[in-house]
Structures are given as structure tokens and as C-alpha cells.
Amino acid sequence: MKLQKRRKIKSFLALSLSTAAALFGLFWLIFILYDVITHGIGALNLSLFLNDPAPPGVEGGGLRNAFVGQLLITFFATLIGVPVGVLGGTFLAEYARGTKIARLISILSDIMVSVPSIVIGTFIYAILVKPTGQFSGWAGAVALAVIIIPVVLRTTENMLSLVPWTLREAAFALGAPYYKVIMQVVYRGAATGIFTGILLSMARVAGETAPLLFTSFNNAFFSTNMNQPVASLTVTIFQYAMGPYEVWHQQAWAASFVIMLFILVITITGRLIIKWRYKK
Amino acid sequence: MKVLKLFTMVITACLSALISFGHASENINAAGASFPAPLYQAWAYDYNKATGIRINYQSIGSGGGQRQIVNRTVDFGASDDPLKPEQLKKDNLIQFPTVVGGVVLIVNIAGVKEGGLRLDADTLSKIFLGEIKTWDDNRIKALNPKIVLPAKAITVVHRSDGSGTTAIFTNYLAAVSADWKSKVGEGKAVKWPVGIGGKGNEGVANYVRQTSNSIGYVEFAYAKQNRLAYTQLKNRAGNFMTPGFDSFEDAAESGDFDPKKDFYTWLNNTPGKNSWPIAGATFILLAKDKTAQSAKAVKFFEWALSNGDVKAKELIYVPLPKNLKDKIRAYWKQNSL
Amino acid sequence: MKRKNPFDLSFSLLTAAASATVLLLIAGIFIILVKESSLSIEKFGIYKFITAVDWNPVKEIFGAATSIYGTFITTFIAMLIAIPTAIGIAIFVTEAAPNFLKGPIGAAIELLAAIPSIIYGMWGLFTLAPLMSRYIEPALQKTLGDVPVINVLFQGTPMGIDILTSSLILSIMIIPFTASISRDSFNLTPAVVKESAYAMGATKWEVIKNIVLPYSKLGVFGGIALSLGRALGETMAVAFVLGNKHHITASLLDPASTITVTLANEFTEADTDLYLSSLFYLALVLFVLSFVVLAAAKFFLFRAERRHSR
């Protein structure tokens, strides 16, 4: 009887510890969210979105350039990264399905996903910035695309594999060539999944700072010229938060709030889509 | 097929957008010293209003300014650490000063106000060498009999990046302390015996603000704009000086700016009775072979030399005297800019 | 198969080329980094570079030991905090929590992974660092600072901008990775096995300890290795609060520098060829290091998968 009790107590203690761990994790989440939201909302105002930065001491500056720059860089990164990723994933799941090379590439992609992003920044500096003699929005977009490619590639591979093989056979039986089967049957079947993967990869790169430091650099002015340095929210946050001016800190909080909202909305949407589509 | 069609549509839309982006307004990209950054950014802001031309000056440190102009990744670089004429020749660059500024010590000690604390060359170098460890050290107390100093450890804040401010500051310390010269030396980045490193003048100012009982060195404008408590410092003539426009100007007057040496000079520990002991000019680097971009940069600085003095004074930088400005204009001509 | 159609052939080639970019990128990064750092490799060699503690731009002597040490120590302490927490969380959301809480709490923890690292860093500088320097670190010094041996860890002035704060932020960042992979592995334990243990009168903890944990060991290892890879390469979260100091120190209250922080701070500002080359060399070291760690992670996860499919 005593032994029984001891075992029960032990079990209770262990489970309490695990509950404590969960609370510890939740505590930080709430702490960070709360902090960013309170500071961020307090610093939000219209001029943040409508004006460009003013030098310290001049009133009424904003971050319009950084918002637009961030969108531009992310947009072009997606434009470069997604087609490559989707096509690459198609190869692994279709033409090379089950082969050794497909396995190797998907393992390497998984590793690529976690390669330190700052290393990618140095790599792009060496191949794009130094030879052209110009920091540029393009270099930033390519750096982010390098991060997007493996993410999208792996999601595509997984999503295509989920499309039942019989569906393809049915299409083959009608005499359709493989590429048509892929485009009209397989892609259609996996569209939601791939789309979600793209969303999540965008959320991932929207918060990246390190690969942009040496590539798209920063710009104090509004510029949509991708051949020139382009401002981004994340690099601006780094600069402003590290800077000594109270106004800068305020704007960094506001920018963090906006970027966090953007990422959380995308991530939650993505997850809801997955749940709704695949967990019925 | 629908997907494909949509995709091609998006691509063509983007390409056409790109082509129109290509014709954006005139841009000049520049990077370098954070020491004059508040001034250059203010000048750029006004210049943009006056002409529509954009000078994108990024404060990344003097080392970065030199590096990026040598690699030609920017249109002009800025550095407080002047390059020697041989070096300029090797990299095919020209160099000229824009303004003079002062490096000041800032502290974050409860109860100590602007100009409240007095330091001299000896205590300063010992603090940065880590030999004086607490604020209530007798050597500091001896200079400040009137204020109560806490028995707290000193946190030294220095630069983490290649910095002209550091070059000026360590050049000063090496000039006044043999110990510093042999143990640490001088340069844009040195091996600091103690302390934490902030990125840029901005970073140092920010760390000092955030950290109690700390001391750091920054360009005066950063101390002023952030209402950080700067200290007094004893100069070579033996007077305790408060940093400010007059004491910087006094230091600037001793400067030997010679166009034949590409204006290479230091303004540290100058003999003037009212000189602030840690001062320096800040320089612009232009690539000789990038003539079109360099000419645009010269145009900007011509505008700044003619119209920028008021703004400079407002931010406590010392504008260059008229005869030096003329020398600089002649120097541009001589380099056919 | 059916590749007679010319469109089909070209489409298959197109997709093959796209998937080959991953190989090209990995090879490309490696080759470019080696090429860019060749100047430094020639000058300092491999062993000497990794073991030398001097990082001195004035004398142009570059050794990576201080940055590597900083990377390892912050990662190590972060893992020390993160692993037990993450496994605890995984146990909570798979076994301990009431059913209606499992989903929401699991999702909330995963949201932690979505917050960009720059926000962690900024929050660390403005919120966490002052708290650390004012309350937590003095308290640690008071309690553990007098214990022999351990006290070397808590010497110096509590500034909040140090190894301890950085490690704490890093741990908060990697908890979600480890937790979600551990949870997935726990969920792979067949219900039949668990139920039969319960039927024999085992307590919940006994089931977890004797059945779930051994069963999902490999998956958990994989999750740990994966978050290890993450922690090694994290830049922004630590760049704000580590203090950028090149030295090797025992005290957790001292500033330090990691490979990533050194790169972020010094890369655009290196003024000589050798300096820049040495920074590329650092990037190369980091790339190889994280590649090896991540490959190990994949290996564990692969083995775990194989075991379950059997």
C-alpha cells in the first residue's frame, strides 16, 4: 500500500513539474507578446506609415521607406524562391520519387533550412555585392530566396506525396503525359498545402535580419530601386533599437509590433488552413 | 494552366514595374563614420529638400567607410581616422575634412550631472586599462572632492566596430599614457582590456544609458542629443575643460591641414589654454576612378561648405575656417572634380 | 516511364534543375567561403585559427577561439535550460494536460517559434537585461556567489548585457523547436502499448518514463540536435545583449562574443583584406559546424522514423 502511494506521489510530482515547464514557456510567450503589444501600440501613429525618416532632432519622421522596402524585398524573394522550390519539390516527389538522389536532396534541404542565415548573408555579399560594387535590394531578395527555396521545396515534396498515386494512374489511363498530370491533377490536389507552405516561408523570411545586413543594407530615403540599397524593417529595428534616441526606440517598438502581427497572422492562417484541409 | 497564366502575368507585371523603378531619382550612397553621422544626415535631409537629390548616408563606422569605398560599394566613404597619403595613392582615393568635432566621456552614475565629474588623462587611461575599478577609487575622489561617488564597479563601454572615434580616442590615450601605448596601442579597433562593446557611437551611447555606473566615449552630438552626463577633462595646459563649441574650436585652430598631405592630421592633446583635449576632424573619401559619382558627392559637400555651417554649429560641430574651405575647393579642382 | 513527350522531357529537366539548386547552393556556399577566406587560411592555418585567443584588428592577428567559445558557452547554457523545459512541455501537452488544453497550449508554444529573432533581441535589451542586472543577477551573486567553485560563474558586475542573459533569450527561442519535435515523437508511441501498461496498474509517470521516453528517444535526440543547430547560428537575438567582447571568461556575468555576433558587428566594417578574409573564415567555421550538427540531427530523426515504420 505504501509503495502504491509513493508511486502515485512520484507521478504527481513529475506531472506537476511538466506543468511547471509548460507554464514557464507560456510565461515568456505572454511576457514578450505583452511587452511588444503595449510598447508597440503606444508608438503607432499615422506618420509612421506615411513619412520617411527624419534625422534625430527633427519631428515627425516615419518608416514608410522601411515598410515598402520590406514588402519589396520579401515579394521578390518569394518570386525567385517559390518557383524554384515548387519545381524542385515536384522533381523529388514525382520524377525522382523513391530514388537515392531524391532522398539526399531532401535531407540536404532540411539542413539548408537551418543553416545560419548570417552565413547566407556573407555568401551573397561575396557573389553579388562585391562584384557589382553595390549593396542592393536584389542582393537582399536573393539572400532571402536562398532561405525560401529549401522550405518550399520540402513542403511541396511532402504535399505532392500526399496526393494518392491512383489519381495519377487514372489520368495516365486517359493518355495524359506526365507533365500534364502533374500540372492539372497533382498540383490541383496539393494546391492548398503548397500555398500554406509558401505562406509559412514568407512568415519565416519576413522576420529575417541577419542576411539583409550585408546585402540590401539600409536606406534613409524612400526608394523602390532594387539596384540600390533598400531599407527594411528588420535592419531598421536593429539600427534604431541599438541607437540612443528615444524616438528611435519608440519607432523600433512600433515596427516590431507591425512585423510580429504580420507574422503571427500569416502563421496562424497557415496552421488553420492545414488543420481545416488535412485533419478532417 | 490557369496557374501558369497567372504566374506569367505576375512576372510581366513585375518586370515592367522594375523598368520603371530603374529611373528613380538621383541617389548617392555613402557609408562610414558614425561620428559625423547626425550632421551628414541632417545635411542630407536639407539637401534633399533643396535639390531633390538623395544622399543615403549609413552610419557603419570609419573602418566600414574605408572598406566600402576601397571596394567601391559606396559613392563616398567617411572616416574620422585619416588615411596617410601613401595609402590613398594605393587605393586611388582622395580625402578632405568636413568639420571638426570633439570626443567626450559620458557617464551614468546616479546623482552625477552634465559636467559634474572631473577626470584627467591619468585616471581616464587607468579606468580604460581596468586599473581603476570602482568609482570611489581615491584617484577619482582626489579630483572630485565635492561629489559623492558610489562604491560601485565601473563598467567601461567602448566600440565594437572599426571606429574613427576609437582611433581619435586611443590616439589621445596613447599620447598621454605610456602604459596605454605599450599595452593597447591605437587604431580604429583595439584589443580592449575591459568593458563591453557597442556598435557605433549610437550603440555606446545606448549602452551607457542602459547600464548604471558605466562610462563610455562618444562624439559630443550624441551626448548632447541624449542628455547624457559628459565629464570635464583636464587638458594639456592643466585646465579642466567642459566640452563645447569653444573648446573644440580652440583645438581645431592648432590643426595643420595641408592639401599636399591630403589634409592628414590629428587634433589631440593640443597645447591651447582652452582646448578640449580629445578632438578630431572627420574626413570624406572619394574614389578617383568613379568620376561621375564623385562629382555628385563634391557638389553635395560644396553645398554643405557654403550652407551647412549653421546646422553644424547647432549640433556642436566646428565648421572649417574659410581659408581651409578654399584649400579644399582648390584640392577638388586639382583632382578635376 | 512515359517520357516520350518532348514537353514532358523538358519539364522533368526543369524540375531536376530546380532541385539541383539546393546542391549547388550548399556546394556554392562552401566553395565561396573557402575562396574568400583563403588569405586568412594561408596565414593562420586551421588549427592555429581555431585555437588562438587573440582577435586583434590593430595588429592583424585573428584567432577564432574567443568567438567559438562564446558560441559554445551560450549554446550550452541555453540547451541546459531549454531541454528539460521543452521535454516537460512535450510531456504536458501529450500526457498531463486535460484534453481541452492540449491543442491551444501546444499551438501557443509553437507561436514562440514564429516570433522573429530581432524582436527577441530588442525585448532582451530593453526589458530583460535591466531585470537581470537589477534583480536576478544580484540575487544569484548573493546566493551562489559564495559557494566555492560555482562562484567563478557569478563574478563581476551584473550588467545584464552578458552571457547569462543571452543564453536565457536563446533558450526561450529554441524551446519551441525541441518541444514540438519531442511532442511529435511522443505521439508516435503506439496507444496499445501505453494502454496495456495502464491496465497493469502503472502510474502516468511510469508510463512516460518506462514506455514513452525510451520509445521516442531518437526523435527527442533529433529535436535536441536540431535546436542545437539553431542556437549555434542565431544572430540577432544575442547581438543586442552579449556585449561584443572577444575573450574567454568563466563568469556568466561577463560579456562575450559569438561567431554570429562578430560577423554582424564587424563584417561591413573590416578595413583590411586580411580582416575581411578572417571574418569569412569565421563564417566558414560556423557553416561547417552547423552543417555537422544538423546532419547528426537528421541522422537521429531518420533512424527514429525507420524504427517506427518497421
Side-chain angles (χ1 to χ4, degrees):
Chain A
M1 212 46 203
K2 244 186 182 169
L3 183 74
Q4 188 76 345
K5 208 166 196 177
R6 261 221 332 258
R7 282 171 56 203
K8 280 227 164 107
I9 291 173
K10 219 170 162 187
S11 178
F12 177 75
L13 278 179
L15 293 181
S16 308
L17 271 179
S18 82
T19 313
L23 288 178
F24 181 75
L26 278 179
F27 165 74
W28 294 116
L29 177 71
I30 292 166
F31 194 1
I32 294 176
L33 286 180
Y34 172 81
D35 230 29
V36 174
I37 290 169
T38 48
H39 283 99
I41 288 185
L44 274 184
N45 55 43
L46 217 57
S47 74
L48 193 73
F49 300 98
L50 298 180
N51 294 352
D52 290 331
V58 178
E59 289 284 307
L63 296 175
R64 180 178 70 133
N65 60 338
F67 282 109
V68 174
Q70 182 88 44
L71 284 176
L72 268 182
I73 295 172
T74 313
F75 173 73
F76 283 111
T78 316
L79 203 69
I80 301 167
V82 165
V84 178
V86 170
L87 290 174
T90 309
F91 180 72
L92 300 192
E94 303 291 335
Y95 293 106
R97 176 180 283 228
T99 59
K100 273 209 175 118
I101 182 85
R103 257 218 87 72
L104 177 73
I105 292 180
S106 64
I107 288 175
L108 285 177
S109 310
D110 275 347
I111 294 177
M112 262 304 277
V113 169
S114 297
V115 158
S117 54
I118 195 156
V119 171
I120 293 171
T122 60
F123 168 65
I124 300 295
Y125 178 88
I127 63 166
L128 279 182
V129 176
K130 221 165 125 189
T132 59
Q134 181 76 274
F135 292 104
S136 68
W138 285 122
V142 173
L144 295 189
V146 171
I147 297 171
I148 289 181
I149 289 171
V151 179
V152 174
L153 186 139
R154 287 289 287 139
T155 336
T156 309
E157 187 196 353
N158 286 336
M159 293 302 154
L160 296 190
S161 314
L162 288 179
V163 176
W165 190 251
T166 43
L167 224 64
R168 296 182 181 81
E169 277 175 349
F172 289 145
L174 293 173
Y178 202 173
Y179 80 98
K180 269 199 172 152
V181 175
I182 291 173
M183 286 201 211
Q184 294 182 351
V185 178
V186 184
Y187 278 168
R188 190 161 291 171
T192 342
I194 297 175
F195 177 70
T196 317
I198 294 169
L199 272 188
L200 292 179
S201 74
M202 279 172 80
R204 161 92 200 267
V205 294
E208 283 289 352
T209 315
L212 298 180
L213 288 173
F214 327 133
T215 53
S216 58
F217 206 48
N218 205 346
N219 196 329
F221 290 94
F222 182 83
S223 168
T224 51
N225 185 346
M226 291 289 283
N227 294 319
Q228 293 277 328
V230 173
S232 57
L233 272 182
T234 47
V235 175
T236 308
I237 294 174
F238 184 45
Q239 194 187 343
Y240 277 23
M242 277 304 216
Y245 310 109
E246 196 48 47
V247 193
W248 280 14
H249 292 177
Q250 297 278 330
Q251 294 188 349
W253 279 114
S256 299
F257 172 72
V258 173
I259 219 168
M260 197 171 87
L261 197 68
F262 176 76
I263 290 175
L264 289 186
V265 165
I266 289 193
T267 314
I268 293 172
T269 315
R271 282 183 199 282
L272 285 180
I273 293 177
I274 292 182
K275 211 169 175 186
W276 161 75
R277 178 77 173 70
Y278 293 95
K279 287 202 180 145
K280 257 184 235 166
Chain B
M1 274 301 116
K2 241 192 208 158
V3 184
L4 261 190
K5 235 182 215 163
L6 190 75
F7 190 68
T8 43
M9 261 168 65
V10 171
I11 286 206
T12 41
C14 294
L15 285 179
S16 51
L18 261 187
I19 291 162
S20 58
F21 289 162
H23 297 289
S25 65
E26 244 182 293
N27 280 304
I28 299 176
N29 289 302
S34 58
F35 180 95
L39 178 62
Y40 291 170
Q41 279 156 4
W43 276 351
Y45 188 73
D46 292 343
Y47 189 61
N48 177 242
K49 278 193 174 156
T51 63
I53 299 169
R54 294 159 164 179
I55 314 286
N56 175 30
Y57 183 80
Q58 291 298 322
S59 157
I60 63 170
S62 294
Q66 292 176 4
R67 177 84 218 171
Q68 302 311 332
I69 188 68
V70 168
N71 279 351
R72 307 293 193 257
T73 48
V74 290
D75 300 324
F76 70 82
S79 168
D80 319 318
D81 176 26
L83 289 177
K84 297 215 168 94
E86 310 87 86
Q87 187 68 36
L88 290 165
K89 192 165 259 168
K90 198 186 119 215
D91 292 323
N92 205 19
L93 298 173
I94 64 169
Q95 165 178 283
F96 58 89
T98 53
V99 286
V100 170
V103 176
V104 304
L105 282 309
I106 47 175
V107 292
N108 177 352
I109 309 169
V112 173
K113 286 194 283 289
E114 291 182 2
L117 188 75
R118 291 177 154 197
L119 294 173
D120 62 9
D122 187 53
T123 50
L124 184 61
S125 61
K126 291 208 162 82
I127 289 173
F128 275 81
L129 279 170
E131 286 170 24
I132 294 180
K133 289 189 165 71
T134 56
W135 283 113
D136 61 347
D137 190 285
N138 285 331
R139 286 164 283 193
I140 304 179
K141 269 191 187 157
L143 298 172
N144 299 280
K146 281 183 197 148
I147 49 176
V148 188
L149 288 162
K152 291 278 170 63
I154 300 174
T155 299
V156 168
V157 182
H158 54 72
R159 290 283 291 272
S160 64
D161 49 341
S163 148
T165 314
T166 301
I168 295 172
F169 185 61
T170 54
N171 175 276
Y172 166 75
L173 287 178
V176 295
S177 157
D179 243 18
W180 183 273
K181 197 170 184 175
S182 64
K183 282 184 188 156
V184 185
E186 58 178 295
K188 286 190 295 296
V190 297
K191 199 166 153 35
W192 296 95
V194 288
I196 56 177
K199 188 168 170 2
N201 268 299
E202 300 91 333
V204 172
N206 200 24
Y207 273 158
V208 171
R209 254 176 73 131
Q210 301 274 331
T211 316
S212 301
N213 303 308
S214 56
I215 181 169
Y217 59 93
V218 291
E219 202 289 322
F220 190 54
Y222 288 90
K224 198 79 185 161
Q225 282 182 337
N226 293 289
R227 282 177 231 100
L228 290 163
Y230 46 80
T231 70
Q232 293 186 33
L233 190 60
K234 199 180 190 175
N235 68 10
R236 193 156 146 190
N239 300 322
F240 281 102
M241 297 306 303
T242 303
F245 190 80
D246 298 336
S247 56
F248 297 163
E249 197 173 31
D250 212 69
E253 269 161 22
S254 70
D256 168 32
F257 291 98
D258 184 354
K260 285 192 197 100
K261 291 193 292 178
D262 299 294
F263 305 101
Y264 178 90
T265 189
W266 293 92
L267 301 173
N268 274 323
N269 210 24
T270 49
K273 206 168 76 165
N274 296 315
S275 294
W276 177 253
I278 321 175
T282 182
F283 298 85
I284 295 298
L285 298 165
L286 292 177
K288 274 187 180 170
D289 47 316
K290 262 183 136 180
T291 39
Q293 291 309 91
S294 296
K296 280 189 206 163
V298 161
K299 236 185 188 165
F300 167 60
F301 285 106
E302 169 56 47
W303 175 90
L305 290 187
S306 315
N307 304 295
D309 287 3
V310 178
K311 196 83 207 174
K313 282 182 188 162
E314 206 177 284
L315 295 169
I316 328 289
Y317 293 90
V318 182
L320 303 176
K322 178 148 187 323
N323 66 339
L324 180 52
K325 284 183 181 172
D326 290 339
K327 276 190 207 166
I328 293 171
R329 289 184 178 114
Y331 176 77
W332 288 338
K333 269 221 186 83
Q334 184 199 321
N335 286 290
S336 45
L337 283 166
Chain C
M1 253 208 261
K2 308 176 179 2
R3 278 193 211 162
K4 282 149 206 160
N5 189 314
F7 286 109
D8 206 26
L9 183 65
S10 45
F11 187 67
S12 69
L13 287 177
L14 186 68
T15 59
S19 71
T21 50
V22 173
L23 299 178
L24 281 179
L25 281 174
I26 289 186
I29 292 175
F30 185 75
I31 292 166
I32 293 284
L33 289 184
V34 169
K35 187 179 143 248
E36 294 291 330
S37 51
S38 59
L39 195 65
S40 184
I41 295 176
E42 267 167 40
K43 176 108 196 236
F44 302 115
I46 295 174
Y47 180 74
K48 218 176 122 199
F49 184 71
I50 293 175
T51 54
V53 292
D54 222 14
W55 182 265
N56 191 334
V58 178
K59 294 185 184 143
E60 292 205 54
I61 298 168
F62 298 101
T66 52
S67 298
I68 294 175
Y69 173 79
T71 300
F72 278 143
I73 189 83
T74 49
T75 306
F76 177 74
I77 296 169
M79 302 299 286
L80 219 55
I81 304 170
I83 293 173
T85 314
I87 292 179
I89 290 173
I91 291 175
F92 181 76
V93 294
T94 51
E95 309 289 334
N99 270 334
F100 72 97
L101 270 181
K102 283 182 181 169
I105 290 189
I109 298 285
E110 278 183 25
L111 279 190
L112 268 176
I115 297 176
S117 56
I118 180 119
I119 292 181
Y120 280 98
M122 194 176 110
W123 172 82
L125 177 67
F126 290 134
T127 305
L128 188 59
L131 288 179
M132 294 294 283
S133 73
R134 236 166 277 157
Y135 307 108
I136 298 172
E137 288 172 358
L140 283 173
Q141 277 187 325
K142 254 182 218 141
T143 49
L144 299 173
D146 297 328
V147 183
V149 184
I150 300 179
N151 64 1
V152 292
L153 294 176
F154 300 100
Q155 273 166 354
T157 332
M159 293 177 295
I161 293 165
D162 51 34
I163 298 173
L164 189 63
T165 309
S166 305
S167 307
L168 183 57
I169 293 182
L170 212 48
S171 77
I172 302 171
M173 284 200 63
I174 55 176
I175 284 171
F177 290 105
T178 325
S180 67
I181 294 179
S182 306
R183 182 193 60 185
D184 294 347
S185 328
F186 287 178
N187 276 336
L188 287 177
T189 319
V192 195
V193 189
K194 284 198 291 191
E195 273 155 19
S196 47
Y198 281 129
M200 287 172 67
T203 62
K204 257 193 178 172
W205 170 240
E206 283 163 351
V207 171
I208 294 165
K209 193 180 66 171
N210 299 328
I211 296 174
V212 177
L213 282 180
Y215 205 90
S216 46
K217 200 169 54 193
L218 286 172
V220 174
F221 278 153
I224 290 172
L226 201 63
S227 48
L228 179 66
R230 274 283 152 124
L232 287 175
E234 181 47 46
T235 310
M236 302 324 285
V238 284
F240 283 91
V241 288
L242 195 50
N244 315 311
K245 186 154 176 56
H246 290 285
H247 68 161
I248 290 179
T249 171
S251 173
L252 302 183
L253 305 187
D254 269 346
S257 193
T258 63
I259 298 179
T260 52
V261 170
T262 305
L263 286 173
N265 267 322
E266 301 179 22
F267 193 80
T268 46
E269 328 189 333
D271 52 351
T272 62
D273 288 333
L274 187 62
Y275 194 175
L276 189 68
S277 170
S278 301
L279 287 170
F280 271 113
Y281 199 176
L282 271 185
L284 177 66
V285 170
L286 180 63
F287 179 65
V288 171
L289 206 65
S290 50
F291 194 91
V292 170
V293 169
L294 292 167
K298 280 313 288 178
F299 176 73
F300 281 125
L301 287 174
F302 179 62
R303 287 252 309 253
E305 246 170 66
R306 266 244 296 255
R307 201 164 132 174
H308 291 299
S309 58
R310 236 181 246 156

